[in-house]
Amino acid sequence: MAGTQDLGGGVRSVRVPIPDNPLGHTLVYVVDTDRGPVLIDTGWDDPAAWDTLVEGLTECGTAVGEIHGVVITHHHPDHHGLSGKVREASGAWIAMHEADTAIVRRTRSAEPERWFTYMAAKLTAAGAPEEHVAPLRAARRRNLPGLNPALPDREIVPGELLTLPGRRLRAIWTPGHTPGHVCLHLEEAHPAGLPGNGRLFSGDHVLPEITPHIGLYEDPDDATVTDPLGDYLDSLERVARLAPAEILPAHQHAFTDAGSRVDALLAHHESRLTGLLALLSTPLTAWQLAERMEWNRPWEQIPYGSRNIAVSEAESHLRRLVKLGRAEVVSGSEPVTYVAV
């Protein structure tokens, strides 16, 4: 039996498993409309996940073939992975913010070698040791998973209502976790009468107990100096101003008091930035900084792939400190080192 829940007001959820991942599952939301059910996210492209989604939709009183549309909060495979199969089975449209659609388009056209070359150069510049970079060079001819995600056929326009007959679902652009991440504000009275402004499908932007990963936006062909952490912090405050009665996230569970959760996330990042400044009393590379940062386990126990994610997160915090004038690049350093100002 799939893990489904009736959340009231024509909204249900299905717990779709993520293979070999501590997050456990993605919460896929089923929203009734006058044209048929619409999904918010779809889950990882995996046979067990697909079977769970199909079974869950049956438990929700519908079927995969009846899906009218798919709204994607962001392009990551635990959210967008099954979108193509849903469209094949139902003829549903798929909607995504243009910034993430651009990533999907690039992913579909990129050669794996291009990505491995880019990552090897990026990690070398960040100060990664040769033994960490070497496998990327050796792995170039292997295929990467998730290289052919479904290309969306509708654009989610920030601030506008989505065309869901009989519902008021407004897109809120919340970049940070990805450049095109959106939250979706259901501008309808809470079915249980909770105080606040409707319900917010928050994707990975605001989770009840987890701080989402904020790394650099990766684009081998774009040299723009982005500030993902700054984008994220601004987006958090946008969500707090909405004051939703309840948040329906893509992982864990629904929760209330969005303002308190936003305050906690803002405080977490300010504390982390302050801690990093103390570490940067002497010049460090992004890799050296990642080694010294606090994670959910000691650096020695962090797996290979997760170290790449950790370095990207260190870089996004460094980018923010430089933009705020609280740290700077050490002139002429190679690999690049940073120091507190």
Side-chain angles (χ1 to χ4, degrees):
M1 181 172 173
T4 61
Q5 185 177 4
D6 188 341
L7 299 162
V11 177
R12 294 172 294 279
S13 66
V14 182
R15 292 165 62 106
V16 177
I18 310 171
D20 303 318
N21 190 295
L23 278 175
H25 63 271
T26 301
L27 287 168
V28 172
Y29 292 97
V30 187
V31 180
D32 291 339
T33 80
D34 292 346
R35 289 284 303 277
V38 166
L39 300 185
I40 296 178
D41 292 334
T42 57
W44 192 280
D45 185 4
D46 172 79
W50 173 251
D51 290 345
T52 302
L53 178 62
V54 169
E55 182 183 343
L57 291 173
T58 302
E59 285 180 22
C60 289
T62 184
V64 69
E66 296 177 15
I67 299 303
H68 171 59
V70 177
V71 183
I72 299 298
T73 60
H74 62 295
H75 73 86
H76 287 163
D78 54 324
H79 298 258
H80 182 45
L82 286 171
S83 300
K85 284 190 176 178
V86 171
R87 182 164 60 189
E88 287 170 15
S90 64
W93 46 261
I94 301 172
M96 184 183 286
H97 187 285
E98 174 54 30
D100 273 19
T101 296
I103 295 172
V104 170
R105 198 176 290 118
R106 188 171 70 241
T107 301
R108 290 168 61 89
S109 64
E111 292 295 327
E113 288 86 350
R114 175 86 171 95
W115 179 251
F116 285 123
T117 300
Y118 168 73
M119 284 300 298
K122 185 174 174 300
L123 285 162
T124 299
E130 175 56 30
E131 60 266 24
H132 184 88
V133 179
L136 286 168
R137 299 194 183 99
R140 284 182 201 171
R141 304 207 175 277
R142 285 199 335 226
N143 280 333
L144 285 170
L147 277 182
N148 199 36
L151 192 62
D153 43 71
R154 289 194 182 184
E155 181 181 348
I156 296 175
V157 180
E160 292 191 3
L161 289 170
L162 279 78
T163 53
L164 306 188
R167 307 306 298 248
R168 287 188 61 84
L169 189 68
R170 192 177 303 276
I172 311 297
W173 185 35
T174 50
H177 185 58
T178 71
H181 191 291
V182 293
C183 293
L184 299 149
H185 189 203
L186 192 59
E187 298 178 340
E188 302 169 9
H190 192 282
L194 295 181
N197 299 319
R199 292 183 280 182
L200 186 75
F201 300 99
S202 67
D204 281 1
H205 185 62
V206 183
L207 303 170
E209 297 155 11
I210 299 170
T211 304
H213 166 68
I214 309 296
L216 294 188
Y217 302 146
E218 308 289 6
D219 183 351
D221 300 315
D222 188 352
T224 305
V225 179
T226 58
D227 179 19
L229 182 54
D231 292 344
Y232 179 67
L233 299 176
D234 290 345
S235 302
L236 279 177
E237 294 178 353
R238 196 173 303 143
V239 165
R241 286 193 296 271
L242 285 175
E246 186 176 30
I247 288 190
L248 304 178
H251 305 288
Q252 298 189 303
H253 54 81
F255 63 102
T256 56
D257 201 353
S260 291
R261 183 60 185 141
V262 166
D263 286 346
L265 288 164
L266 290 170
H268 163 81
H269 284 287
E270 183 54 40
S271 173
R272 173 160 266 196
L273 289 169
T274 301
L276 298 190
L277 280 175
L279 292 172
L280 292 171
S281 58
T282 55
L284 296 173
T285 65
W287 180 275
Q288 290 169 331
L289 190 62
E291 288 180 314
R292 291 159 173 78
M293 290 169 69
E294 285 190 24
W295 306 105
N296 60 2
R297 66 189 99 175
W299 182 258
E300 297 73 29
Q301 296 175 21
I302 295 178
Y304 180 91
S306 298
R307 289 189 178 193
N308 294 342
I309 294 170
V311 171
S312 185
E313 185 134 341
E315 287 180 306
S316 74
H317 282 74
L318 284 166
R319 193 82 56 94
R320 185 71 189 146
L321 288 170
V322 170
K323 186 166 183 178
L324 292 171
R326 296 162 75 180
E328 64 185 13
V329 172
V330 176
S331 180
S333 57
E334 191 177 333
V336 177
T337 57
Y338 298 82
V339 68
V341 176

